[in-house]
Amino acid sequence: GRALGVGCSLAALCDMTLASDQSSYSFPEMTHDLPPTLAMSALLGKVSPKVISYMVYSTDEIDADEAKDIGIISRVVAAQDLEVEVTRISEFMLGRTMPSLIAVKEYLRSAPSMDSTAFSDFASNLLANVLASK
């Protein structure tokens, strides 16, 4: 469906977002002269500020393919296949250990702000902790 304003931000905030090829994304708040600054903050670091400003000032809707290209969503799936794909990925993740899932989440949360030596060391430490928990 349509992800407007905060809905668009929620799609961007998720660790992973699967979307129907029939979905669309926009920030229509400026049509009411309301700056969507809180919603915009969710996109910072994930989407170029130029793209954010275009979406906000134009209020244009973008389709799922463009949302994927700019980093709002992870993958586009045909509408009729979306539930099957969500179930497949969910079941795979449920089969992983909690320490492995947490390690991936922590790495993706912290590593982008680290220098190359630090993110490599962090990766090694996370892996060692997961292996030690088995």
Side-chain angles (χ1 to χ4, degrees):
R2 296 171 70 204
L4 308 176
V6 172
C8 182
S9 295
L10 288 173
L13 280 172
C14 292
D15 291 346
M16 176 176 47
T17 305
L18 301 178
S20 159
D21 58 357
Q22 296 174 12
S23 62
S24 62
Y25 305 82
S26 70
F27 292 98
E29 292 88 345
M30 288 296 280
T31 60
H32 305 289
D33 208 25
L34 296 172
T37 51
L38 286 175
M40 292 165 62
S41 70
L43 272 65
L44 289 175
K46 298 175 185 294
V47 177
S48 156
K50 283 193 172 286
V51 172
I52 296 169
S53 64
Y54 175 79
M55 289 181 72
V56 169
Y57 291 138
S58 72
T59 70
D60 290 349
E61 287 191 27
I62 61 170
D63 66 19
D65 288 323
E66 188 171 357
K68 179 181 176 289
D69 290 344
I70 65 173
I72 292 175
I73 61 173
S74 308
R75 182 153 186 241
V76 179
V77 179
Q80 67 270 15
D81 299 331
L82 184 59
E83 188 173 336
V84 169
E85 186 64 6
V86 168
T87 300
R88 181 187 73 79
I89 290 175
S90 298
E91 287 175 354
F92 178 81
M93 290 179 69
L94 287 169
R96 304 310 87 185
T97 64
M98 190 59 67
S100 290
L101 294 171
I102 291 170
V104 170
K105 186 170 184 72
E106 285 299 310
Y107 187 78
L108 291 173
R109 182 182 63 81
S110 300
S113 64
M114 298 176 177
D115 66 41
S116 60
T117 301
F119 70 63
S120 181
D121 290 345
F122 187 48
S124 296
N125 289 332
L126 287 170
L127 179 58
N129 287 337
V130 169
L131 293 174
S133 72
K134 291 188 178 215

